[in-house]
Amino acid sequence: QTTADLEARNAFVREKVVQMLRGFPAKNPLGPVVVKTMQRDGYRVENVMFQSRPDFWVTGNIYVPTTGSGPFPAIVSPCGHYPLARMLPQYQSAYLTLVKSGFVVLAYDPIGQGERRQFWNPKTNVDEMPSPTYEHSMPGQLQLLLGENLTEYRVWDAIRAVDYLLTLPEVDPKRIGCAGHSGGGSMTTFVSVVDERIRCAAIIEGGMVNRWPMKVVPWEPIGPSDVEQNLFPSALYGIDEFDLHTAIAPRPVLTATEQYTPAFEKAAQAVQDRYRRLGALEKFATVPSDDPHAWTPKLRLATTDWFSRWFYNRKGPSIEPVFATESPESLYCTPDGSIRYSGKRQTVYSLILQKQAQLPPGRPVPKTSAERETYRDEIGAEIRKLLHFRKSDQPLDVRHIVTTPREGYRIEKIQFLSEPGIYIPAWVFIPDDKPGVLPTILYVSDEGIEPDGMEFEGEEGSGLTHSVLDTLVREGNLVVAVEVRGIGNTRPLHPASDSCNEFGQLFDLETGMAYMAWFMDQSLLGMRVQDVVRSVDYVTGRQGADANHLHVIGKGMGGLWCLYAAALDPRIRSLISVQSLLSYRSLTQVDRYKYGADVFVPDVLLHFDIPQVAAAIAGRPLTLIYPMDAMKNTVSVAAAEKAYESARAAYEAAGLQHLFKIESEGTGLDSPEHYLSLIRAADAV
């Protein structure tokens, strides 16, 4: 590799990072407000607010030397994932060490932290979320539905912080640095890659270990970091941690870690080699804290020394100066320490609400057969694109595992190929003494096969009544129950990394797998829809199955997988969706939800919502039973009908309004007896 090759690679990385961030908005007036000024020994502290977007306020503190001659070099400091953010004493200590050494420092609150927390009540001091990582991922995953991402919001806040520094007469515009710890270190990396006004960086315990290739060890937790720490689809471009660090070159970068490990040293060596190739070996350095994760005194001194070296051509202090940190309340920019409770300004959730209100784009109701076909083709094309759907043409390669006899029927336990290397388990329930073509049902549940496939309900068949699948087959139906990849017996052997609370789905195994797919520009949801379509291939090709009258029951997330599959595959004669997500907009209209990233589709609301997918199957029987809201509570019929106005209109235009049903009031609607009544009605059409 030549120097020219490396420079081209760095340019490619910078370009792709901006692309993955979805670009940046136009710059608005910052409208800064200095709320309070505190004079201290050798410096002053200003409580300052500025608008990174119109009426979207960033709260912070600026530390300005009052001794020495300016203009001074300036450091912008994104914060790590702590509720108090810039007000944390260890962080204040870093800022004070820097300002005492002749640096202007602008520290600001990230979205979801400090005065920008969404779930902290200043009156009760109660925080409804376990940590800032939840404050990030909760809105951040919603933004993906809208074609946005929280990483861009966070990076843009930092860029606008630099803009604000450049308005100050005390600041030398040619000596701007960036230093952040932990999640703030990750943000320092991203910002330094895309904003070359940053001439020097200190990435303090912000991650240096490469992601790729992944080493997946059974029984070890797999779960994602909060959403803004991830760039999708970075794996597709081969962009890893050392690429990001190298893309800052030849500007100076200090990378700190808790302690040296083989993985850290390997990545650091790769960065060092690239700095050497650029003739800038001395501009990359690493330092261990030899302490647990924190911006420790050793690392604070290393940070100050690094900036002193490159901006003053001298060493930094060998010991921290004497100073006193401030109370959090004295650093507030708002009366009670909360942008949200000040009630006057935009928050990330108010911006989400505003954008989702205009989405998805309106579509004319198809009124003729030709219009319905065009509508289905258009929606189908968009589903294929957004879900990265690719139907395999490989033979199914059916494997028979075992046949299990039961009273009145038998179960063939099989596997078949969804795509090369991915086998789908299935149980085929076959009534005894029922030759010929049988009424056929495909059953897909997000709980897998066993909970509904035992002879009796309950764990290990310990209930008093026959199970769902047992009842369906006893009524003379051929029933095929499948487990899509990652569900039931194909669930990976990994515990969740952080899912022991009400909103643990933000960091569970399912969300981790969804993120892995997004890194590769793929979709876990799309893969599972493909598995359903391949299940249709198997069922319709099986001897004794009624290929012309295939009825599908989807439960939980299975209802969503099957709805997408029905929009793509007309062989599905009717669909019963049970306890499935009402719509993506139902998520974006609230500030909390219990769905993981496994049902999310980036950009989806720029194109369609789940009701528009339902409209694409107008003409075939569709029943929604107990549709669920964002918190997985049953939605009333009236509320569901309002959400599904487009689907209702499409069925009415076809003169088939009786084929579209929403049922959520009453008990027993999710019983096998009710399923059978719906299937018989569908067959009678």
Side-chain angles (χ1 to χ4, degrees):
Q1 298 290 316
T2 66
T3 299
D5 291 335
L6 180 54
E7 290 173 342
R9 171 66 179 174
N10 284 350
F12 171 83
V13 171
R14 289 191 290 269
E15 175 190 352
K16 290 302 179 184
V17 169
V18 173
Q19 183 178 317
M20 288 186 283
L21 294 175
R22 308 298 186 92
F24 298 110
K27 290 185 176 182
N28 55 280
L30 290 166
V33 176
V34 177
V35 177
K36 176 183 177 181
T37 300
M38 296 176 285
Q39 297 292 338
R40 297 293 184 259
D41 182 20
Y43 65 96
R44 71 176 185 271
V45 184
E46 297 177 356
N47 300 0
V48 64
M49 306 169 64
F50 61 87
Q51 301 173 69
S52 62
R53 300 166 191 264
D55 203 31
F56 190 64
W57 290 84
V58 179
T59 46
N61 301 111
I62 189 161
Y63 297 76
V64 183
T66 54
T67 60
S69 58
F72 303 99
I75 312 301
V76 63
S77 186
C79 295
H81 296 162
Y82 301 100
L84 287 176
R86 62 189 160 86
M87 297 172 279
L88 201 67
Q90 64 165 292
Y91 283 6
Q92 289 188 56
S93 298
Y95 313 146
L96 293 172
T97 302
L98 284 162
V99 73
K100 287 276 193 174
S101 298
F103 296 91
V104 173
V105 181
L106 174 55
Y108 65 92
D109 290 327
I111 294 168
Q113 294 173 242
E115 294 184 78
R116 302 174 78 189
R117 283 177 280 181
Q118 300 295 318
F119 297 94
W120 173 68
N121 186 327
K123 295 179 181 179
T124 63
N125 197 31
V126 171
D127 198 328
E128 298 175 277
M129 289 293 153
S131 74
T133 57
Y134 288 78
E135 288 251 17
H136 298 165
S137 284
M138 192 69 82
Q141 290 185 175
L142 296 180
Q143 289 180 304
L144 295 175
L145 299 174
L146 304 170
E148 300 180 337
N149 66 69
L150 189 65
T151 318
E152 181 271 320
Y153 270 61
R154 292 281 307 277
V155 170
W156 188 243
D157 282 351
I159 290 172
R160 300 313 316 272
V162 173
D163 290 342
Y164 176 62
L165 283 173
L166 296 180
T167 68
L168 304 178
E170 297 92 343
V171 170
D172 181 351
K174 295 182 179 179
R175 291 185 291 171
I176 302 294
C178 188
H181 170 256
S182 190
S186 301
M187 204 52 51
T188 296
T189 306
F190 296 155
V191 176
S192 299
V193 168
V194 302
D195 192 339
E196 296 189 56
R197 296 176 300 176
I198 294 171
R199 305 307 303 164
C200 183
I203 302 166
I204 310 302
E205 299 179 340
M208 180 67 169
V209 176
N210 289 326
R211 295 179 187 266
W212 326 117
M214 291 195 67
K215 293 182 176 64
V216 181
V217 180
W219 303 113
E220 287 191 0
I222 289 182
S225 55
D226 44 331
V227 68
E228 94 284 351
Q229 301 287 297
N230 301 278
L231 294 174
F232 304 124
S234 57
L236 182 69
Y237 305 128
I239 295 176
D240 216 328
E241 287 295 331
F242 75 89
D243 293 289
L244 297 173
H245 283 67
T246 303
I248 304 171
R251 291 168 285 156
V253 172
L254 172 69
T255 297
T257 185
E258 295 85 348
Q259 57 270 325
Y260 288 144
T261 64
F264 176 89
E265 291 184 281
K266 181 178 180 181
Q269 184 63 55
V271 177
Q272 189 177 63
D273 290 345
R274 286 156 176 77
Y275 266 79
R276 179 185 291 109
R277 196 175 305 152
L278 293 171
L281 180 60
E282 74 284 359
K283 292 184 179 180
F284 176 72
T286 64
V287 58
S289 72
D290 298 317
D291 248 339
H293 188 77
W295 204 343
T296 62
K298 177 182 178 180
L299 296 183
R300 297 196 294 262
L301 287 170
T303 300
T304 304
D305 183 70
W306 186 251
F307 288 118
S308 296
R309 175 182 177 183
W310 296 106
F311 286 156
Y312 278 119
N313 195 29
R314 58 170 167 78
K315 285 185 173 293
S318 58
I319 59 172
E320 287 191 309
V322 176
F323 51 69
T325 60
E326 309 288 342
S327 69
E329 292 77 11
S330 68
L331 298 173
Y332 284 174
C333 297
T334 56
D336 54 7
S338 172
I339 286 282
R340 176 189 175 190
Y341 281 88
S342 71
K344 299 178 181 179
R345 299 172 175 92
Q346 297 276 22
T347 68
V348 65
Y349 282 107
S350 67
L351 294 178
I352 288 171
L353 275 175
Q354 290 172 18
K355 184 161 186 178
Q356 66 86 35
Q358 309 302 318
L359 298 173
R363 294 176 182 268
V365 176
K367 297 181 179 180
T368 67
S369 177
E371 288 176 353
R372 284 191 291 276
E373 184 175 353
T374 299
Y375 184 98
R376 284 193 296 270
D377 290 345
E378 290 175 350
I379 287 285
E382 293 181 20
I383 290 172
R384 289 183 178 89
K385 180 178 180 180
L386 291 175
L387 270 61
H388 302 274
F389 179 87
R390 58 189 191 285
K391 185 175 182 296
S392 176
D393 295 326
Q394 296 283 327
L396 288 165
D397 189 26
V398 179
R399 298 173 174 176
H400 181 269
I401 308 302
V402 69
T403 298
T404 303
R406 294 251 185 106
E407 183 182 352
Y409 63 94
R410 64 189 182 277
I411 304 173
E412 291 183 6
K413 297 178 181 178
I414 65 167
Q415 298 174 352
F416 56 82
L417 202 63
S418 180
E419 62 176 300
I422 304 296
Y423 278 88
I424 302 303
W427 289 10
V428 185
F429 294 73
I430 308 166
D432 289 340
D433 304 321
K434 291 279 186 178
V437 176
L438 298 175
T440 306
I441 300 170
L442 174 63
Y443 190 86
V444 186
S445 171
D446 60 5
E447 295 179 337
I449 299 171
E450 291 182 11
D452 291 328
M454 300 294 286
E455 183 181 11
F456 292 93
E457 292 183 334
E459 187 175 357
E460 298 181 351
S462 59
L464 300 177
T465 59
H466 287 276
S467 72
V468 171
L469 299 180
D470 182 273
T471 302
L472 294 177
V473 69
R474 285 175 181 274
E475 290 295 320
N477 298 284
L478 174 69
V479 182
V480 180
V482 300
E483 290 178 336
V484 301
R485 69 189 75 188
I487 295 297
N489 287 301
T490 67
R491 179 180 172 84
L493 301 176
H494 303 279
S497 61
D498 186 11
S499 61
C500 298
N501 60 71
E502 186 178 13
F503 300 108
Q505 84 284 349
L506 295 172
F507 300 100
D508 69 5
L509 176 62
E510 285 282 302
T511 290
M513 291 192 294
Y515 281 23
M516 290 179 196
W518 291 341
F519 276 128
M520 299 180 289
D521 201 27
Q522 298 298 323
S523 166
L524 177 63
L525 177 62
M527 295 174 188
R528 288 170 168 173
V529 172
Q530 173 184 323
D531 294 343
V532 174
V533 173
R534 287 290 277 174
S535 300
V536 173
D537 288 346
Y538 169 73
V539 176
T540 55
R542 181 187 170 90
Q543 186 175 3
D546 188 348
N548 295 319
H549 294 85
L550 173 60
H551 304 286
V552 177
I553 302 171
K555 183 179 177 182
M557 289 188 295
L560 185 59
W561 308 329
C562 292
L563 182 64
Y564 278 120
L568 296 174
D569 195 331
R571 294 175 297 174
I572 294 177
R573 177 71 180 83
S574 74
L575 172 62
I576 301 170
S577 175
V578 186
Q579 297 175 337
S580 189
L581 174 63
L582 178 74
S583 68
Y584 290 119
R585 281 195 67 199
S586 70
L587 300 177
T588 61
Q589 291 168 346
V590 294
D591 67 355
R592 66 200 72 190
Y593 50 89
K594 290 189 175 180
Y595 288 89
D598 47 359
V599 300
F600 280 61
V601 181
D603 301 345
V604 65
L605 286 175
L606 300 180
H607 300 269
F608 57 79
D609 200 351
I610 297 170
Q612 284 72 50
V613 179
I617 65 173
R620 288 175 280 164
L622 170 62
T623 303
L624 308 181
I625 296 176
Y626 300 137
M628 310 299 279
D629 66 11
M631 292 294 287
K632 296 191 174 180
N633 297 315
T634 302
V635 178
S636 69
V637 170
E641 284 284 359
K642 182 172 178 59
Y644 277 75
E645 287 176 346
S646 59
R648 174 66 68 192
Y651 273 86
E652 289 178 349
L656 298 170
Q657 56 267 33
H658 59 287
L659 298 185
F660 178 55
K661 301 176 182 178
I662 299 176
E663 301 178 341
S664 67
E665 296 167 1
T667 59
L669 298 175
D670 56 350
S671 68
E673 292 79 12
H674 186 57
Y675 297 158
L676 289 170
S677 70
L678 293 171
I679 288 169
R680 293 183 187 111
D683 279 334
V685 175

